[in-house]
Amino acid sequence: MLTPERIVAFRDRLIDERAAATDRLREVTGSAGFDEPESEWAGELSQYDNHTSDSGPALEMRAINLGLVNHERDTIAQIDSALERIRGGTYGICTECGRDIPIDRLEALPYAETCTDCGARMAAPRGTGTRRPIEEEVLRPPFGGRDPARAFDDPGIHGEDMWDQLAQYGTANSPQDEEAGNSRGADRD
């Protein structure tokens, strides 16, 4: 159980971390140009004469900044939730099982809302009785993927064999890309 002094110390730390996350969010959103048209942040009046790859570096940086913005917003929301649990008197208690969250976990992640066991169970692979994104039920890697029971269980299907079957219908290779008698091209072996 957390002492009142420890709770006050965690509250102060959470407030400081929230202020730092807010500053980082303000810095990224202010410099990323999310409120500006593309012609302003890309330094171009028109994209008409540019190849699409010319916009790549600017778009990549914009995507990175958007990821940083989302991360900081998520962090602020988690900190706000932890501050609300402090106000409600439930800080340091696992929201899943109701047991105390270990002090070491709170020291490492002061806005943790689950104990170590529940956090590990929630992050465990699908099918082990845990909560995971529903998309994982339908997204499967090809050829059996990581499921040890199915991994490469059909020796008749192999990536190169599949290429040979598909290449008989044509490829995007030019004649100079083709090797004599080989539909896959010299650079693919």
Side-chain angles (χ1 to χ4, degrees):
M1 192 79 180
L2 289 169
T3 64
E5 294 81 21
R6 283 303 278 267
I7 291 175
V8 168
F10 279 120
R11 186 197 68 210
D12 292 344
R13 182 172 165 201
L14 285 165
I15 290 170
D16 290 344
E17 286 194 24
R18 188 183 195 289
T22 303
D23 289 344
R24 287 189 303 268
L25 179 62
R26 190 176 304 114
E27 182 181 327
V28 171
T29 55
S31 65
F34 289 118
D35 57 346
E36 299 173 353
E38 182 179 0
S39 60
E40 292 292 323
W41 58 262
E44 295 279 341
L45 295 175
S46 170
Q47 295 293 320
Y48 183 76
D49 63 341
N50 288 350
H51 188 273
T52 53
S53 65
D54 293 336
S55 302
L59 290 174
E60 178 186 18
M61 198 67 222
R62 196 166 174 91
I64 289 169
N65 286 338
L66 186 59
L68 292 171
V69 166
N70 288 335
H71 173 74
E72 294 303 336
R73 286 181 179 161
D74 288 346
T75 300
I76 290 170
Q78 291 175 15
I79 290 171
D80 288 345
S81 178
L83 291 169
E84 185 61 36
R85 288 192 305 277
I86 288 174
R87 284 189 285 279
T90 60
Y91 181 76
I93 299 172
C94 179
T95 58
E96 292 293 314
C97 68
R99 292 183 296 180
D100 289 343
I101 299 173
I103 297 292
D104 291 343
R105 181 165 171 81
L106 291 174
E107 289 286 343
L109 191 67
Y111 45 85
E113 60 182 44
T114 60
C115 65
T116 310
D117 293 338
C118 290
R121 188 171 51 253
M122 289 170 62
R126 191 89 172 147
T128 57
T130 62
R131 297 183 319 187
R132 294 293 298 165
I134 192 72
E135 293 87 0
E136 289 182 0
E137 292 182 8
V138 294
L139 297 175
R140 297 278 184 244
F143 311 118
R146 294 187 193 103
D147 183 1
R150 294 196 50 215
F152 303 101
D153 58 354
D154 185 356
I157 298 177
H158 189 269
E160 291 180 15
D161 295 335
M162 186 62 67
W163 171 258
D164 289 336
Q165 290 177 17
L166 293 173
Q168 69 184 348
Y169 297 103
T171 68
N173 289 346
S174 299
Q176 70 268 14
D177 297 330
E178 296 295 329
E179 189 177 18
N182 182 1
S183 62
R184 289 188 304 178
D187 60 338
R188 293 193 180 247
D189 286 334

